[in-house]
Amino acid sequence: MSATAGQAQTERSLAERLGFKASQVVQEIGYDDDCDDELRSSIETVTGTELVDEDYEEVVDVVLLWWRDEDGDLVEGLIDAMTAVTGGGHVWLLTPKAGRDGHVEPSDIGEAAPIAGLSQTSSVSAARDWSGTRLVAPKTRR
């Protein structure tokens, strides 16, 4: 296996572990210099599409929400993130891991999600410095 083929497999596995699939439209909100480029690239590789930014005006399948403690009111951020999500879509809330600048306590996410009308379905280590929390609208709202 060539180094390039090996890299592609690793990249696919990273995004696939988060459940990304071919042809999904993924909107990225909160991008900054501290975001994980490897994760971003792997999502584009798996979906076969470029990430769209927060100005995108069509519906999306998934929102990738990079969020830091100093970014403001998490409830408002989650509500805003869900406005473009199509039925059955979800938000991946990415927050800096414990000990990193901007870390968001899991209890803050646990409190904000239901207020924003969302349910937490899983939490993972999404990248080297980022934790991921998958949030969905309850089935009665979808």
Side-chain angles (χ1 to χ4, degrees):
M1 180 185 303
S2 72
T4 306
Q7 280 180 319
Q9 182 61 39
T10 301
E11 289 175 0
R12 280 194 302 275
S13 297
L14 187 60
E16 286 173 347
R17 192 179 72 206
L18 297 178
F20 288 95
K21 295 178 176 56
S23 301
Q24 284 184 316
V25 177
V26 180
Q27 183 178 40
E28 181 178 45
I29 299 174
Y31 175 81
D32 206 342
D33 293 340
D34 62 345
C35 294
D36 190 276
D37 288 330
E38 183 181 349
L39 176 58
R40 297 175 75 244
S41 176
S42 70
I43 292 168
E44 289 179 339
T45 299
V46 168
T47 62
T49 60
E50 291 185 13
L51 299 174
V52 298
D53 66 18
E54 46 205 48
D55 295 328
Y56 187 74
E57 295 184 9
E58 304 295 323
V59 295
V60 300
D61 300 299
V62 181
V63 170
L64 196 62
L65 178 60
W66 302 96
W67 194 268
R68 300 141 199 96
D69 188 47
E70 64 273 2
D71 285 345
D73 185 333
L74 181 56
V75 172
E76 288 179 18
L78 293 172
I79 291 170
D80 290 346
M82 283 301 291
T83 58
V85 177
T86 187
H90 60 277
V91 171
W92 269 110
L93 174 63
L94 300 172
T95 57
K97 289 183 177 177
R100 287 10 180 243
D101 286 342
H103 173 68
V104 177
E105 291 294 329
S107 60
D108 293 342
I109 297 168
E111 291 173 14
I115 294 171
L118 300 170
S119 298
Q120 181 175 332
T121 61
S122 60
S123 295
V124 298
S125 175
R128 190 182 63 151
D129 294 326
W130 294 86
S131 294
T133 304
R134 186 175 186 272
L135 302 167
V136 299
K139 290 185 188 228
T140 56
R141 273 194 46 204
R142 286 191 248 168

